[in-house]
Amino acid sequence: MINLKYQRLEQRLGYSFNDQRQLQLALTHRSHGASNNERLEFLGDSILNFLIGEALFLRLDEAREGQMSRLRSQLVRGDTLAELAREFELGECLVLGEGELKSGGHRRDSILADAVEAIIGAIYLESGLDTCRERVLAWYGDRLDAISLDTSAKDPKSRLQEYLQAQRQPLPEYRVVEVGGEGHAQVFTIECHVAIAKQSTQAQASSRREAEKQAAAAMLKLLKL
């Protein structure tokens, strides 16, 4: 039986599974039971690292090993994968245990990132490496196009602070808007405000520090930096 929610997700992914049960498995967190996406996540993580490494190798002729390793780390880290997951609106499709449902697990970066890796693993098993490569490169298109050897390794908070200091502007202010979830699995909503921006930015993550980084990244994007 076709699940319309999964069908809409497949449209956003640009890939339709022959058996939607494989997509459901990729979206099933370990909190739901023994049948979950951990093995697919393991496989997808390996494939993603290879495909992004290959893409950087082919794009950056002058790059040294250390430079490519740094850039790959930026592209495959959890917060980048969580961004992709949110672009796919993947959270609404996750299959979670009752505890994770109550604590906002569908918004948690680590769970979202793991699900993206699991989907990559599932696509590989069903359609092979070439299809996997085509999808991953499509998902990462804008990010790969923006990469260069000059891409900063500094986190968004540091970049935003240094930019404002160079402009002789007040430092950014980070405010906790909401703390949801239970004590062991909290979700922080953080707002970032800077004097030179007409609006604030917000982000959610499972730690205050990570939420601040994501809010800073959104502010950098808003300021077109």
Side-chain angles (χ1 to χ4, degrees), residues 110-215:
S110 59
I111 294 177
L112 290 168
D114 290 349
V116 172
E117 290 178 336
I119 288 171
I120 292 170
I123 292 174
Y124 170 78
L125 289 177
E126 185 174 272
S127 296
L129 188 61
D130 287 343
T131 299
C132 238
R133 179 185 289 110
E134 188 268 332
R135 283 296 84 212
V136 168
L137 293 182
W139 299 345
Y140 272 90
D142 290 343
R143 290 171 173 86
L144 284 168
D145 289 343
I147 281 290
S148 74
L149 295 183
D150 297 323
T151 300
S152 174
K154 294 178 181 176
D155 68 68
K157 285 184 68 177
S158 298
R159 289 166 53 201
L160 180 59
Q161 180 172 317
E162 290 180 3
Y163 171 76
L164 294 173
Q165 287 175 326
Q167 301 296 316
R168 301 185 181 279
Q169 291 289 324
L171 294 180
E173 297 177 8
Y174 298 95
R175 184 173 69 88
V176 178
V177 176
E178 182 182 1
V179 180
E182 301 173 5
H184 68 285
Q186 291 183 316
V187 177
F188 293 83
T189 302
I190 298 291
E191 182 178 81
C192 174
H193 172 76
V194 300
I196 59 174
K198 294 181 179 179
Q199 63 189 77
S200 300
T201 56
Q202 285 191 6
Q204 287 184 331
S206 54
S207 73
R208 178 171 178 169
R209 181 178 179 183
E210 186 59 38
E212 287 179 352
K213 284 170 60 178
Q214 291 187 31

Side-chain angles (χ1 to χ4, degrees), residues 3-42:
N3 184 311
L4 292 178
K5 182 168 62 175
Y6 291 162
Q7 193 173 55
R8 289 192 291 270
L9 175 59
E10 287 175 331
Q11 290 173 351
R12 296 190 290 269
L13 293 171
Y15 179 86
S16 295
F17 282 86
N18 296 324
D19 183 353
Q20 272 195 351
R21 288 175 296 183
Q22 295 306 307
L23 175 59
Q24 182 176 6
L25 180 62
L27 294 166
T28 302
H29 186 251
R30 64 179 178 271
S31 63
H32 190 263
S35 180
N36 59 62
N37 64 7
E38 286 188 318
R39 285 173 55 81
L40 286 174
E41 174 207 336
F42 169 81

Side-chain angles (χ1 to χ4, degrees), residues 50-65:
F50 165 69
L51 292 175
I52 294 300
E54 177 188 56
L56 293 172
F57 180 86
L58 294 174
R59 283 169 175 257
L60 303 173
D61 294 339
E62 305 300 320
R64 299 187 299 274
E65 178 188 1

